[in-house]
Amino acid sequence: MPHRAHLFSLRMAHAFREACIDEPYRGRRFLRDVMAGLTVGIIAIPLAMALAIASGVAPQYGLYTAIIAGFVIALTGGSRFSISGPTAAFVVILYPIAQSYGLGGLLLATLMSGVLLILMALMRLGRFIEYIPESVTLGFTGGIAVVIATLQIRDFLGLQVGDMPEHYWDKLALLTGALPEFDGMSTLVAGVTLACMLLWPRLKTPVPPHLPAVVIGSLLTLWLNAQGAAIDTIGSRFSYLLPDGTEGAGIPPFLPEFAWPWQQAGASGEPVGLSWSLVRDLLPAAFAIAMLGAIESLLCAVVLDGMTGKRHSANSELMGQGLGNIITPFFGGITATAAIARSAANYRAGAESPVSAMVHSLVVLLALVSLAGLLAYLPMPAMAALLVMVAWNMSEAPKSLHLLKTAPRSDILVFLTCFSLTVLLDMVIAITTGVLLAAVLFMREMAQMTRVTDITQSKRIAESRLPDGWQVFKINGPLFFAAADRIFGELAVLARNARGFILYMDGVTILDAGGLSALNKLIATCERDGTQIVIADLQFQPLRTLARAGVAPIAGVSRYTSSLDEALRLISCPASETDRASG
């Protein structure tokens, strides 16, 4: 498909059809997908569990997300190599929802965000979301990383504290007060796990560092607990009910079952129910989830395009993400989006198509039903260390420092605003403010591109011998509300003493309602001051806007010509001919 067709295309299962149907898909490519899927599936198992815990729910819900959302999004989305599942970016939004509304509220918010993502796809907003500036996205990711790392202090140090408060400073106060009672053995396990993740890459093996790190942390925990330590594990902290009513430790070794999201438990333990008031309360969070999911998934797709030379379909990817987040909550899965680290690992492992992501989901499914007993031995301090490393990687600290050193002051201010709002207030507020800031920045940049130039003394104009008191001005750039008032205000000043002027508008691509209003004000000013104005060489969109608004020439004041040369001839005509032309 040509490059331009990808920009605003929307096709169900775009990536799968392009990679497996439009192109020959034979056994060798399938084998490469299977090997890549095995690799990423093994990587995803501890990450999915850790991210579910960080989001405030039991670890199996992270596995359900990787299984259902990972498969559905790969099948229906628009990026060949993306691996979707729970990601660290959502922790800051999901944790407060889980605390206030329980699992049921979290699943309902996820379902609502999926609907919003589909609406974004239908409105072809995919490419526009990618225009959100780096200062905004770095502010989000940096703030999210700080909050995630802070939430891991409890398990990293083995602190005995209850549920974390809502606000960041209250979290810090609670953790600081509990520091004297830290558990040395838990800290040792977390430290060893973190050291393994930092040192393992030096061996330059294809095995990702967090796998040996978690294994070493688990073995160390087994030995220390055998010596009398009391280090928390998945099995000691989480439990589930068996069909006979007895309680099992860790995660249930069962396939995810269908259930209505609103029938899942709320914060009180009772079904959360479905009501307009609950939907209204969750709508801001659902919007934040949808926006962050769109940004994260499309950013991942852009990164993969750069690595692979392929092209994703942004709107098809939003459609796939939306479908995944609508279907997954019915099977207990939480919010999902594309994960950059897992997607990059997928490509490096030899993936050829979205089949690798589907295989990854089946690997997680197999681990759930066959290895649940072993997964119960994963230590909570090791999971905390894993998430600390995830937080550091997602923070992109070197990029942020570079931005603070080299970016314009306005970009630095935007970065600090988004970062501070994410950490200190609420991710919903941060997302809303960030999107608005992105829109304002974009409009400012567009407005600054629009300029007016006096070209009266240019060679082309000088040769035509303008009548005395006439000037020629050229406008370049879109005339929308953010730029039009400034441009036409400048024109009014430049033409204050002129008998008349030509407004050369071949460089104006857009004239919106604000621009039309400003133009009418300029014409009214010219009529009041007795100044003539000739508007030359209008492009199609501005011409259509004027026609729809019923703007017509005003005798002795305003005239319209199809070219600059025609305008120059017109003002050189005798008065009688000029009057006929203006009519």
Side-chain angles (χ1 to χ4, degrees), residues 31-41 345-346 349-352 356 359-360:
L31 182 60
R32 288 171 64 86
D33 277 334
V34 169
M35 296 307 297
L38 284 168
T39 302
V40 183
N346 179 46
E352 291 278 340
S356 63
V359 173
H360 132 273

Side-chain angles (χ1 to χ4, degrees), residues 41-67 85-87 91 152 155 210-211 214 218 233-235 237-238 249-252 334 342 364 367-368 371-380 382-384 386-387 390:
I42 294 170
I43 293 172
I45 293 165
L47 279 173
M49 296 172 67
L51 290 166
I53 295 167
S55 299
V57 297
Q60 63 265 27
Y61 298 112
L63 297 177
Y64 298 162
T65 308
I67 293 166
T87 64
V91 168
Q152 303 320 304
D155 288 329
H210 75 272
L211 291 180
V214 168
S218 300
T233 63
I234 296 288
R237 181 169 298 184
F238 299 99
I251 61 175
I334 60 175
R342 274 165 274 171
V364 178
L368 173 68
L371 301 177
L374 288 176
L375 295 176
Y377 289 102
L378 292 176
M380 297 305 299
M383 304 296 269
L386 173 60
L387 286 180
V390 169

Side-chain angles (χ1 to χ4, degrees), residues 306-553:
M307 293 174 63
T308 65
K310 302 292 184 181
R311 296 294 303 175
H312 73 283
S313 170
N315 295 305
S316 302
E317 179 65 6
L318 287 184
M319 177 64 75
Q321 295 289 337
L323 289 171
N325 282 284
I326 287 175
I327 295 171
T328 302
F330 289 94
F331 296 90
I334 60 175
T335 310
T337 190
I340 294 177
R342 274 165 274 171
S343 300
N346 179 46
Y347 172 69
R348 293 192 186 105
E352 291 278 340
S353 75
V355 172
S356 63
M358 300 179 205
V359 173
H360 132 273
S361 297
L362 297 177
V363 170
V364 178
L365 176 64
L366 181 63
L368 173 68
V369 298
S370 61
L371 301 177
L374 288 176
L375 295 176
Y377 289 102
L378 292 176
M380 297 305 299
M383 304 296 269
L386 173 60
L387 286 180
V388 167
M389 198 69 191
V390 169
W392 169 256
N393 289 333
M394 80 169 295
S395 71
E396 297 192 273
K399 271 191 180 181
S400 298
L401 291 173
H402 180 73
L403 183 142
L404 290 172
K405 290 178 181 177
T406 62
R409 186 176 299 176
S410 59
D411 285 343
I412 294 174
L413 182 61
V414 169
F415 167 79
L416 293 175
T417 300
C418 292
F419 178 87
S420 301
L421 289 174
T422 302
V423 174
L424 300 178
L425 291 180
D426 183 88
M427 194 65 199
V428 175
I429 297 173
I431 288 282
T432 305
T433 304
V435 170
L436 290 175
L437 281 173
V440 170
L441 284 173
F442 178 76
M443 287 187 291
R444 189 193 69 172
E445 294 295 327
M446 291 292 289
Q448 288 177 345
M449 290 172 58
T450 306
R451 62 189 185 276
V452 58
T453 309
D454 186 345
I455 61 171
T456 306
Q457 302 303 321
S458 67
K459 183 178 179 181
R460 179 182 179 185
I461 306 301
E463 289 176 351
S464 62
R465 298 180 182 178
L466 283 177
D468 291 340
W470 278 83
Q471 294 174 270
V472 181
F473 301 105
K474 180 177 174 63
I475 299 179
N476 281 302
L479 282 174
F480 61 105
F481 64 92
D485 280 336
R486 173 178 61 83
I487 290 297
F488 288 125
E490 291 178 15
L491 267 172
V493 173
L494 290 170
R496 182 175 297 164
N497 299 317
R499 183 160 64 93
F501 62 90
I502 296 172
L503 199 54
Y504 184 29
M505 295 181 64
D506 77 319
V508 177
T509 55
I510 295 172
L511 181 71
D512 73 349
L516 178 63
S517 175
L519 177 60
N520 284 330
K521 287 179 184 176
L522 177 67
I523 294 173
T525 301
C526 291
E527 185 174 16
R528 184 192 65 207
D529 297 342
T531 305
Q532 297 184 54
I533 175 173
V534 180
I535 298 174
D537 209 348
L538 285 164
Q539 292 198 32
F540 176 73
Q541 193 278 338
L543 186 62
R544 184 179 61 179
T545 300
L546 291 174
R548 291 180 64 181
V551 177

Side-chain angles (χ1 to χ4, degrees), residues 65-317:
T65 308
I67 293 166
I68 305 298
F71 193 95
V72 171
I73 295 172
L75 178 62
T76 61
S79 179
R80 286 194 185 202
F81 305 105
S82 291
I83 300 290
S84 295
T87 64
F90 287 123
V91 168
V92 179
I93 307 177
L94 303 189
Y95 186 80
I97 299 174
Q99 282 189 310
S100 301
Y101 301 98
L103 175 64
L106 184 55
L107 299 185
L108 185 56
T110 299
L111 172 61
M112 292 165 61
S113 74
V115 174
L116 292 174
L117 283 166
I118 286 183
L119 290 176
M120 290 181 194
L122 294 175
M123 291 188 290
R124 306 298 199 273
L125 296 181
R127 284 291 168 184
F128 296 109
I129 290 170
E130 294 176 12
Y131 295 153
I132 292 178
E134 188 176 51
S135 56
V136 173
T137 56
L138 284 178
F140 289 158
T141 54
I144 291 167
V146 169
V147 175
I148 291 173
T150 303
L151 291 172
Q152 303 320 304
I153 294 174
R154 175 176 60 181
D155 288 329
F156 196 100
L157 301 179
L159 303 179
Q160 298 301 311
V161 297
D163 290 336
M164 300 294 282
E166 180 179 355
H167 299 295
Y168 185 75
W169 293 119
D170 295 334
K171 291 182 179 76
L172 280 184
L174 180 65
L175 293 169
T176 302
L179 281 178
E181 301 176 5
F182 80 97
D183 179 57
M185 296 298 99
S186 295
T187 307
L188 175 63
V189 170
V192 168
T193 305
L194 187 59
C196 287
M197 283 189 284
L198 293 171
L199 297 175
W200 186 264
R202 297 185 181 183
L203 300 178
K204 300 188 184 304
T205 69
V207 180
H210 75 272
L211 291 180
V214 168
V215 170
I216 291 171
S218 300
L219 294 174
L220 178 60
T221 299
L222 277 173
W223 183 76
L224 291 173
N225 281 347
Q227 305 303 311
I231 301 169
D232 255 352
T233 63
I234 296 288
S236 66
R237 181 169 298 184
F238 299 99
S239 60
Y240 60 93
L241 288 176
L242 293 164
D244 61 4
T246 59
E247 194 173 84
I251 61 175
F254 311 130
L255 295 174
E257 296 180 351
F258 179 89
W260 300 106
W262 46 88
Q263 291 182 352
Q264 299 278 13
S268 64
E270 297 296 320
V272 70
L274 183 62
S275 65
W276 170 245
S277 61
L278 178 61
V279 170
R280 185 182 58 208
D281 290 344
L282 290 175
L283 188 58
F287 172 76
I289 292 171
M291 285 303 304
L292 190 59
I295 294 169
E296 187 86 355
S297 61
L298 296 182
L299 178 62
C300 176
V302 169
V303 170
L304 290 170
D305 285 353
M307 293 174 63
T308 65
K310 302 292 184 181
R311 296 294 303 175
H312 73 283
S313 170
N315 295 305
S316 302
E317 179 65 6

Side-chain angles (χ1 to χ4, degrees), residues 553 555-556 559-560 570 573-583:
R559 288 163 285 176
Y560 299 87
L570 183 65
C573 288
S576 60
E577 188 176 338
T578 302
D579 291 339
R580 287 197 301 272
S582 67

